[in-house]
Structures are given as C-alpha cells and as structure tokens.
Amino acid sequence: MLPAKDARDAKGKLLRTRQSVLAVEVMVTTSPDWWAKATPEMEANWVRQSCRQLALQYGKENIAHLQIHYDETTPHITG
C-alpha cells in the first residue's frame, strides 16, 4: 500500500519522498519458438513460475495486477 504523501515512521522520517518509486511496470515473455512448441501444461507452468518469481522479487503484497495476454503473436504477462 502506498503511504500517504506526508506519512512518517515512528522516528519522524518521511515514508514517501519526491524520489520514491511509486510503481514499476513489468512484462514477462519468452521466445515465439518456445510458445510454438509448448504444451498446455508447459504454458501453465510458465505462468505459475513467472508469477512466483515476481512475487519473490517485489513481494506479493506489492503486486497490484498481473494479466496474461494471448492477443498478440507472443503471449506475455503484464503487471
């Protein structure tokens, strides 16, 4: 959750400054060749592993949205 603009910790330090990162947009994909050969089980495993890795990297509580897109040549996850 994003701290309020003037929120401070117990020692009075600002929790959000002008330099604070408020959002990071990600796209996760793999090669078109892999998708052409992937079985439904491989695809499902790729989605699970990708989501797990993002949760480990950024913290599950910090992920606002993830969506898989099949509407382009190469499927991908955005968040």
Side-chain angles (χ1 to χ4, degrees), residues 44-72:
N45 190 44
W46 175 81
V47 170
R48 278 192 302 276
Q49 288 179 346
S50 297
C51 293
R52 186 178 305 128
Q53 179 59 36
L54 290 170
L56 287 172
Q57 186 169 352
Y58 295 105
K60 186 176 180 179
E61 69 281 0
N62 294 315
I63 297 174
H65 174 81
L66 292 176
Q67 182 174 1
I68 188 158
H69 299 267
Y70 290 102
D71 59 341
E72 297 181 33

PDB file of all heavy atoms in Angstrom, residues 44-72:
ATOM      1  N   ALA A  44       1.033 -23.473 -18.594  1.00  0.00           N
ATOM      2  CA  ALA A  44       0.531 -23.242 -17.239  1.00  0.00           C
ATOM      3  C   ALA A  44       1.680 -23.165 -16.240  1.00  0.00           C
ATOM      4  O   ALA A  44       1.662 -22.320 -15.332  1.00  0.00           O
ATOM      5  CB  ALA A  44      -0.450 -24.345 -16.848  1.00  0.00           C
ATOM      6  N   ASN A  45       2.678 -24.011 -16.411  1.00  0.00           N
ATOM      7  CA  ASN A  45       3.841 -23.995 -15.525  1.00  0.00           C
ATOM      8  C   ASN A  45       4.615 -22.686 -15.682  1.00  0.00           C
ATOM      9  O   ASN A  45       5.066 -22.107 -14.698  1.00  0.00           O
ATOM     10  CB  ASN A  45       4.745 -25.195 -15.816  1.00  0.00           C
ATOM     11  CG  ASN A  45       5.826 -25.354 -14.791  1.00  0.00           C
ATOM     12  OD1 ASN A  45       5.595 -25.234 -13.593  1.00  0.00           O
ATOM     13  ND2 ASN A  45       7.035 -25.626 -15.265  1.00  0.00           N
ATOM     14  N   TRP A  46       4.750 -22.201 -16.909  1.00  0.00           N
ATOM     15  CA  TRP A  46       5.441 -20.930 -17.156  1.00  0.00           C
ATOM     16  C   TRP A  46       4.719 -19.780 -16.452  1.00  0.00           C
ATOM     17  O   TRP A  46       5.359 -18.933 -15.820  1.00  0.00           O
ATOM     18  CB  TRP A  46       5.542 -20.670 -18.662  1.00  0.00           C
ATOM     19  CG  TRP A  46       6.136 -19.340 -18.965  1.00  0.00           C
ATOM     20  CD1 TRP A  46       7.469 -19.016 -18.970  1.00  0.00           C
ATOM     21  CD2 TRP A  46       5.436 -18.133 -19.274  1.00  0.00           C
ATOM     22  NE1 TRP A  46       7.622 -17.691 -19.269  1.00  0.00           N
ATOM     23  CE2 TRP A  46       6.391 -17.120 -19.466  1.00  0.00           C
ATOM     24  CE3 TRP A  46       4.093 -17.821 -19.414  1.00  0.00           C
ATOM     25  CZ2 TRP A  46       6.043 -15.817 -19.781  1.00  0.00           C
ATOM     26  CZ3 TRP A  46       3.741 -16.513 -19.734  1.00  0.00           C
ATOM     27  CH2 TRP A  46       4.715 -15.538 -19.904  1.00  0.00           C
ATOM     28  N   VAL A  47       3.388 -19.765 -16.539  1.00  0.00           N
ATOM     29  CA  VAL A  47       2.614 -18.715 -15.881  1.00  0.00           C
ATOM     30  C   VAL A  47       2.838 -18.778 -14.367  1.00  0.00           C
ATOM     31  O   VAL A  47       3.110 -17.759 -13.726  1.00  0.00           O
ATOM     32  CB  VAL A  47       1.110 -18.818 -16.215  1.00  0.00           C
ATOM     33  CG1 VAL A  47       0.287 -17.884 -15.340  1.00  0.00           C
ATOM     34  CG2 VAL A  47       0.881 -18.521 -17.687  1.00  0.00           C
ATOM     35  N   ARG A  48       2.726 -19.975 -13.780  1.00  0.00           N
ATOM     36  CA  ARG A  48       2.927 -20.130 -12.330  1.00  0.00           C
ATOM     37  C   ARG A  48       4.315 -19.671 -11.916  1.00  0.00           C
ATOM     38  O   ARG A  48       4.475 -18.928 -10.944  1.00  0.00           O
ATOM     39  CB  ARG A  48       2.707 -21.581 -11.910  1.00  0.00           C
ATOM     40  CG  ARG A  48       1.270 -21.976 -11.707  1.00  0.00           C
ATOM     41  CD  ARG A  48       1.144 -23.333 -11.024  1.00  0.00           C
ATOM     42  NE  ARG A  48       1.803 -24.401 -11.762  1.00  0.00           N
ATOM     43  CZ  ARG A  48       1.266 -25.080 -12.777  1.00  0.00           C
ATOM     44  NH1 ARG A  48       0.044 -24.795 -13.176  1.00  0.00           N
ATOM     45  NH2 ARG A  48       1.932 -26.036 -13.383  1.00  0.00           N
ATOM     46  N   GLN A  49       5.343 -20.125 -12.630  1.00  0.00           N
ATOM     47  CA  GLN A  49       6.719 -19.766 -12.277  1.00  0.00           C
ATOM     48  C   GLN A  49       6.964 -18.267 -12.432  1.00  0.00           C
ATOM     49  O   GLN A  49       7.658 -17.663 -11.608  1.00  0.00           O
ATOM     50  CB  GLN A  49       7.713 -20.556 -13.127  1.00  0.00           C
ATOM     51  CG  GLN A  49       7.798 -22.009 -12.756  1.00  0.00           C
ATOM     52  CD  GLN A  49       8.794 -22.753 -13.645  1.00  0.00           C
ATOM     53  OE1 GLN A  49       9.219 -22.265 -14.679  1.00  0.00           O
ATOM     54  NE2 GLN A  49       9.170 -23.940 -13.221  1.00  0.00           N
ATOM     55  N   SER A  50       6.418 -17.672 -13.474  1.00  0.00           N
ATOM     56  CA  SER A  50       6.599 -16.232 -13.696  1.00  0.00           C
ATOM     57  C   SER A  50       5.960 -15.432 -12.568  1.00  0.00           C
ATOM     58  O   SER A  50       6.569 -14.500 -12.036  1.00  0.00           O
ATOM     59  CB  SER A  50       5.999 -15.822 -15.038  1.00  0.00           C
ATOM     60  OG  SER A  50       6.669 -16.462 -16.094  1.00  0.00           O
ATOM     61  N   CYS A  51       4.743 -15.791 -12.197  1.00  0.00           N
ATOM     62  CA  CYS A  51       4.053 -15.096 -11.109  1.00  0.00           C
ATOM     63  C   CYS A  51       4.778 -15.296  -9.783  1.00  0.00           C
ATOM     64  O   CYS A  51       4.916 -14.348  -8.989  1.00  0.00           O
ATOM     65  CB  CYS A  51       2.607 -15.554 -11.015  1.00  0.00           C
ATOM     66  SG  CYS A  51       1.614 -15.050 -12.441  1.00  0.00           S
ATOM     67  N   ARG A  52       5.262 -16.502  -9.542  1.00  0.00           N
ATOM     68  CA  ARG A  52       6.019 -16.793  -8.316  1.00  0.00           C
ATOM     69  C   ARG A  52       7.290 -15.937  -8.256  1.00  0.00           C
ATOM     70  O   ARG A  52       7.619 -15.360  -7.219  1.00  0.00           O
ATOM     71  CB  ARG A  52       6.365 -18.272  -8.245  1.00  0.00           C
ATOM     72  CG  ARG A  52       7.014 -18.671  -6.924  1.00  0.00           C
ATOM     73  CD  ARG A  52       7.307 -20.167  -6.843  1.00  0.00           C
ATOM     74  NE  ARG A  52       6.100 -20.943  -7.082  1.00  0.00           N
ATOM     75  CZ  ARG A  52       6.004 -21.944  -7.979  1.00  0.00           C
ATOM     76  NH1 ARG A  52       7.041 -22.290  -8.703  1.00  0.00           N
ATOM     77  NH2 ARG A  52       4.878 -22.588  -8.126  1.00  0.00           N
ATOM     78  N   GLN A  53       8.006 -15.829  -9.377  1.00  0.00           N
ATOM     79  CA  GLN A  53       9.230 -15.046  -9.410  1.00  0.00           C
ATOM     80  C   GLN A  53       8.954 -13.564  -9.152  1.00  0.00           C
ATOM     81  O   GLN A  53       9.688 -12.905  -8.416  1.00  0.00           O
ATOM     82  CB  GLN A  53       9.953 -15.209 -10.755  1.00  0.00           C
ATOM     83  CG  GLN A  53      11.227 -14.406 -10.865  1.00  0.00           C
ATOM     84  CD  GLN A  53      12.256 -14.749  -9.812  1.00  0.00           C
ATOM     85  OE1 GLN A  53      12.396 -15.897  -9.428  1.00  0.00           O
ATOM     86  NE2 GLN A  53      12.972 -13.751  -9.334  1.00  0.00           N
ATOM     87  N   LEU A  54       7.895 -13.032  -9.739  1.00  0.00           N
ATOM     88  CA  LEU A  54       7.546 -11.630  -9.495  1.00  0.00           C
ATOM     89  C   LEU A  54       7.191 -11.400  -8.028  1.00  0.00           C
ATOM     90  O   LEU A  54       7.574 -10.384  -7.447  1.00  0.00           O
ATOM     91  CB  LEU A  54       6.385 -11.208 -10.401  1.00  0.00           C
ATOM     92  CG  LEU A  54       6.740 -11.095 -11.882  1.00  0.00           C
ATOM     93  CD1 LEU A  54       5.475 -10.921 -12.719  1.00  0.00           C
ATOM     94  CD2 LEU A  54       7.717  -9.967 -12.138  1.00  0.00           C
ATOM     95  N   ALA A  55       6.476 -12.343  -7.418  1.00  0.00           N
ATOM     96  CA  ALA A  55       6.127 -12.221  -6.000  1.00  0.00           C
ATOM     97  C   ALA A  55       7.378 -12.251  -5.130  1.00  0.00           C
ATOM     98  O   ALA A  55       7.491 -11.498  -4.161  1.00  0.00           O
ATOM     99  CB  ALA A  55       5.166 -13.330  -5.599  1.00  0.00           C
ATOM    100  N   LEU A  56       8.338 -13.100  -5.481  1.00  0.00           N
ATOM    101  CA  LEU A  56       9.591 -13.150  -4.725  1.00  0.00           C
ATOM    102  C   LEU A  56      10.397 -11.866  -4.898  1.00  0.00           C
ATOM    103  O   LEU A  56      10.992 -11.358  -3.951  1.00  0.00           O
ATOM    104  CB  LEU A  56      10.441 -14.347  -5.165  1.00  0.00           C
ATOM    105  CG  LEU A  56       9.960 -15.716  -4.731  1.00  0.00           C
ATOM    106  CD1 LEU A  56      10.775 -16.810  -5.409  1.00  0.00           C
ATOM    107  CD2 LEU A  56      10.070 -15.850  -3.215  1.00  0.00           C
ATOM    108  N   GLN A  57      10.423 -11.348  -6.100  1.00  0.00           N
ATOM    109  CA  GLN A  57      11.227 -10.163  -6.394  1.00  0.00           C
ATOM    110  C   GLN A  57      10.638  -8.887  -5.794  1.00  0.00           C
ATOM    111  O   GLN A  57      11.364  -8.058  -5.255  1.00  0.00           O
ATOM    112  CB  GLN A  57      11.387  -9.989  -7.898  1.00  0.00           C
ATOM    113  CG  GLN A  57      12.317  -8.862  -8.298  1.00  0.00           C
ATOM    114  CD  GLN A  57      12.653  -8.886  -9.772  1.00  0.00           C
ATOM    115  OE1 GLN A  57      12.319  -9.820 -10.492  1.00  0.00           O
ATOM    116  NE2 GLN A  57      13.314  -7.862 -10.221  1.00  0.00           N
ATOM    117  N   TYR A  58       9.312  -8.716  -5.883  1.00  0.00           N
ATOM    118  CA  TYR A  58       8.689  -7.467  -5.466  1.00  0.00           C
ATOM    119  C   TYR A  58       7.854  -7.582  -4.194  1.00  0.00           C
ATOM    120  O   TYR A  58       7.452  -6.575  -3.626  1.00  0.00           O
ATOM    121  CB  TYR A  58       7.803  -6.922  -6.588  1.00  0.00           C
ATOM    122  CG  TYR A  58       8.596  -6.545  -7.808  1.00  0.00           C
ATOM    123  CD1 TYR A  58       8.580  -7.349  -8.941  1.00  0.00           C
ATOM    124  CD2 TYR A  58       9.387  -5.407  -7.825  1.00  0.00           C
ATOM    125  CE1 TYR A  58       9.320  -7.014 -10.069  1.00  0.00           C
ATOM    126  CE2 TYR A  58      10.138  -5.064  -8.938  1.00  0.00           C
ATOM    127  CZ  TYR A  58      10.093  -5.872 -10.055  1.00  0.00           C
ATOM    128  OH  TYR A  58      10.830  -5.555 -11.159  1.00  0.00           O
ATOM    129  N   GLY A  59       7.553  -8.807  -3.758  1.00  0.00           N
ATOM    130  CA  GLY A  59       6.676  -9.025  -2.615  1.00  0.00           C
ATOM    131  C   GLY A  59       5.238  -9.128  -3.084  1.00  0.00           C
ATOM    132  O   GLY A  59       4.754  -8.248  -3.793  1.00  0.00           O
ATOM    133  N   LYS A  60       4.588 -10.219  -2.729  1.00  0.00           N
ATOM    134  CA  LYS A  60       3.204 -10.460  -3.176  1.00  0.00           C
ATOM    135  C   LYS A  60       2.294  -9.287  -2.826  1.00  0.00           C
ATOM    136  O   LYS A  60       1.433  -8.901  -3.612  1.00  0.00           O
ATOM    137  CB  LYS A  60       2.691 -11.756  -2.549  1.00  0.00           C
ATOM    138  CG  LYS A  60       1.348 -12.194  -3.040  1.00  0.00           C
ATOM    139  CD  LYS A  60       0.955 -13.530  -2.433  1.00  0.00           C
ATOM    140  CE  LYS A  60      -0.406 -13.969  -2.938  1.00  0.00           C
ATOM    141  NZ  LYS A  60      -0.794 -15.264  -2.397  1.00  0.00           N
ATOM    142  N   GLU A  61       2.508  -8.700  -1.666  1.00  0.00           N
ATOM    143  CA  GLU A  61       1.659  -7.598  -1.209  1.00  0.00           C
ATOM    144  C   GLU A  61       1.846  -6.326  -2.044  1.00  0.00           C
ATOM    145  O   GLU A  61       1.021  -5.420  -1.991  1.00  0.00           O
ATOM    146  CB  GLU A  61       1.930  -7.293   0.269  1.00  0.00           C
ATOM    147  CG  GLU A  61       3.295  -6.682   0.559  1.00  0.00           C
ATOM    148  CD  GLU A  61       4.461  -7.663   0.584  1.00  0.00           C
ATOM    149  OE1 GLU A  61       4.270  -8.868   0.369  1.00  0.00           O
ATOM    150  OE2 GLU A  61       5.594  -7.195   0.813  1.00  0.00           O
ATOM    151  N   ASN A  62       2.911  -6.269  -2.831  1.00  0.00           N
ATOM    152  CA  ASN A  62       3.177  -5.084  -3.648  1.00  0.00           C
ATOM    153  C   ASN A  62       2.714  -5.231  -5.101  1.00  0.00           C
ATOM    154  O   ASN A  62       2.888  -4.306  -5.892  1.00  0.00           O
ATOM    155  CB  ASN A  62       4.674  -4.761  -3.634  1.00  0.00           C
ATOM    156  CG  ASN A  62       5.114  -4.337  -2.255  1.00  0.00           C
ATOM    157  OD1 ASN A  62       4.466  -3.550  -1.605  1.00  0.00           O
ATOM    158  ND2 ASN A  62       6.228  -4.885  -1.810  1.00  0.00           N
ATOM    159  N   ILE A  63       2.155  -6.367  -5.438  1.00  0.00           N
ATOM    160  CA  ILE A  63       1.685  -6.586  -6.806  1.00  0.00           C
ATOM    161  C   ILE A  63       0.214  -6.193  -6.877  1.00  0.00           C
ATOM    162  O   ILE A  63      -0.631  -6.784  -6.219  1.00  0.00           O
ATOM    163  CB  ILE A  63       1.888  -8.043  -7.246  1.00  0.00           C
ATOM    164  CG1 ILE A  63       3.387  -8.362  -7.256  1.00  0.00           C
ATOM    165  CG2 ILE A  63       1.253  -8.288  -8.606  1.00  0.00           C
ATOM    166  CD1 ILE A  63       3.708  -9.803  -7.543  1.00  0.00           C
ATOM    167  N   ALA A  64      -0.063  -5.186  -7.699  1.00  0.00           N
ATOM    168  CA  ALA A  64      -1.436  -4.700  -7.810  1.00  0.00           C
ATOM    169  C   ALA A  64      -2.226  -5.454  -8.867  1.00  0.00           C
ATOM    170  O   ALA A  64      -3.433  -5.634  -8.733  1.00  0.00           O
ATOM    171  CB  ALA A  64      -1.433  -3.207  -8.143  1.00  0.00           C
ATOM    172  N   HIS A  65      -1.530  -5.934  -9.920  1.00  0.00           N
ATOM    173  CA  HIS A  65      -2.260  -6.519 -11.038  1.00  0.00           C
ATOM    174  C   HIS A  65      -1.302  -7.313 -11.912  1.00  0.00           C
ATOM    175  O   HIS A  65      -0.209  -6.855 -12.220  1.00  0.00           O
ATOM    176  CB  HIS A  65      -2.892  -5.395 -11.859  1.00  0.00           C
ATOM    177  CG  HIS A  65      -3.555  -5.842 -13.113  1.00  0.00           C
ATOM    178  ND1 HIS A  65      -4.820  -6.371 -13.132  1.00  0.00           N
ATOM    179  CD2 HIS A  65      -3.131  -5.863 -14.391  1.00  0.00           C
ATOM    180  CE1 HIS A  65      -5.143  -6.661 -14.378  1.00  0.00           C
ATOM    181  NE2 HIS A  65      -4.135  -6.370 -15.162  1.00  0.00           N
ATOM    182  N   LEU A  66      -1.696  -8.506 -12.306  1.00  0.00           N
ATOM    183  CA  LEU A  66      -0.989  -9.301 -13.308  1.00  0.00           C
ATOM    184  C   LEU A  66      -2.028  -9.840 -14.276  1.00  0.00           C
ATOM    185  O   LEU A  66      -3.106 -10.272 -13.857  1.00  0.00           O
ATOM    186  CB  LEU A  66      -0.229 -10.476 -12.688  1.00  0.00           C
ATOM    187  CG  LEU A  66       0.968 -10.148 -11.813  1.00  0.00           C
ATOM    188  CD1 LEU A  66       1.534 -11.423 -11.192  1.00  0.00           C
ATOM    189  CD2 LEU A  66       2.044  -9.423 -12.591  1.00  0.00           C
ATOM    190  N   GLN A  67      -1.701  -9.815 -15.559  1.00  0.00           N
ATOM    191  CA  GLN A  67      -2.638 -10.332 -16.558  1.00  0.00           C
ATOM    192  C   GLN A  67      -1.857 -10.982 -17.685  1.00  0.00           C
ATOM    193  O   GLN A  67      -0.859 -10.437 -18.156  1.00  0.00           O
ATOM    194  CB  GLN A  67      -3.491  -9.200 -17.117  1.00  0.00           C
ATOM    195  CG  GLN A  67      -4.520  -9.673 -18.119  1.00  0.00           C
ATOM    196  CD  GLN A  67      -5.449  -8.552 -18.560  1.00  0.00           C
ATOM    197  OE1 GLN A  67      -5.320  -7.414 -18.141  1.00  0.00           O
ATOM    198  NE2 GLN A  67      -6.383  -8.883 -19.416  1.00  0.00           N
ATOM    199  N   ILE A  68      -2.319 -12.152 -18.120  1.00  0.00           N
ATOM    200  CA  ILE A  68      -1.693 -12.796 -19.272  1.00  0.00           C
ATOM    201  C   ILE A  68      -2.456 -12.383 -20.523  1.00  0.00           C
ATOM    202  O   ILE A  68      -3.685 -12.300 -20.519  1.00  0.00           O
ATOM    203  CB  ILE A  68      -1.616 -14.337 -19.130  1.00  0.00           C
ATOM    204  CG1 ILE A  68      -0.779 -14.902 -20.266  1.00  0.00           C
ATOM    205  CG2 ILE A  68      -2.981 -14.963 -19.034  1.00  0.00           C
ATOM    206  CD1 ILE A  68      -0.196 -16.258 -20.008  1.00  0.00           C
ATOM    207  N   HIS A  69      -1.699 -12.073 -21.569  1.00  0.00           N
ATOM    208  CA  HIS A  69      -2.271 -11.625 -22.836  1.00  0.00           C
ATOM    209  C   HIS A  69      -1.983 -12.657 -23.917  1.00  0.00           C
ATOM    210  O   HIS A  69      -0.831 -12.991 -24.165  1.00  0.00           O
ATOM    211  CB  HIS A  69      -1.649 -10.282 -23.259  1.00  0.00           C
ATOM    212  CG  HIS A  69      -1.897  -9.185 -22.290  1.00  0.00           C
ATOM    213  ND1 HIS A  69      -2.959  -8.327 -22.407  1.00  0.00           N
ATOM    214  CD2 HIS A  69      -1.225  -8.803 -21.180  1.00  0.00           C
ATOM    215  CE1 HIS A  69      -2.928  -7.451 -21.413  1.00  0.00           C
ATOM    216  NE2 HIS A  69      -1.880  -7.720 -20.663  1.00  0.00           N
ATOM    217  N   TYR A  70      -3.020 -13.129 -24.551  1.00  0.00           N
ATOM    218  CA  TYR A  70      -2.889 -14.063 -25.671  1.00  0.00           C
ATOM    219  C   TYR A  70      -3.277 -13.384 -26.989  1.00  0.00           C
ATOM    220  O   TYR A  70      -3.405 -14.040 -28.004  1.00  0.00           O
ATOM    221  CB  TYR A  70      -3.799 -15.271 -25.464  1.00  0.00           C
ATOM    222  CG  TYR A  70      -3.360 -16.186 -24.348  1.00  0.00           C
ATOM    223  CD1 TYR A  70      -3.986 -16.158 -23.113  1.00  0.00           C
ATOM    224  CD2 TYR A  70      -2.322 -17.093 -24.534  1.00  0.00           C
ATOM    225  CE1 TYR A  70      -3.596 -17.009 -22.091  1.00  0.00           C
ATOM    226  CE2 TYR A  70      -1.925 -17.948 -23.523  1.00  0.00           C
ATOM    227  CZ  TYR A  70      -2.564 -17.895 -22.311  1.00  0.00           C
ATOM    228  OH  TYR A  70      -2.170 -18.738 -21.302  1.00  0.00           O
ATOM    229  N   ASP A  71      -3.451 -12.068 -26.969  1.00  0.00           N
ATOM    230  CA  ASP A  71      -3.971 -11.356 -28.129  1.00  0.00           C
ATOM    231  C   ASP A  71      -2.902 -10.893 -29.120  1.00  0.00           C
ATOM    232  O   ASP A  71      -3.212 -10.231 -30.097  1.00  0.00           O
ATOM    233  CB  ASP A  71      -4.797 -10.154 -27.672  1.00  0.00           C
ATOM    234  CG  ASP A  71      -3.985  -9.173 -26.839  1.00  0.00           C
ATOM    235  OD1 ASP A  71      -2.932  -9.563 -26.314  1.00  0.00           O
ATOM    236  OD2 ASP A  71      -4.415  -8.014 -26.712  1.00  0.00           O
ATOM    237  N   GLU A  72      -1.656 -11.238 -28.871  1.00  0.00           N
ATOM    238  CA  GLU A  72      -0.581 -10.856 -29.781  1.00  0.00           C
ATOM    239  C   GLU A  72       0.161 -12.108 -30.223  1.00  0.00           C
ATOM    240  O   GLU A  72      -0.113 -13.207 -29.755  1.00  0.00           O
ATOM    241  CB  GLU A  72       0.349  -9.862 -29.106  1.00  0.00           C
ATOM    242  CG  GLU A  72      -0.392  -8.562 -28.747  1.00  0.00           C
ATOM    243  CD  GLU A  72       0.504  -7.542 -28.089  1.00  0.00           C
ATOM    244  OE1 GLU A  72       1.700  -7.496 -28.429  1.00  0.00           O
ATOM    245  OE2 GLU A  72      -0.005  -6.791 -27.242  1.00  0.00           O
TER     246      GLU A  72
END
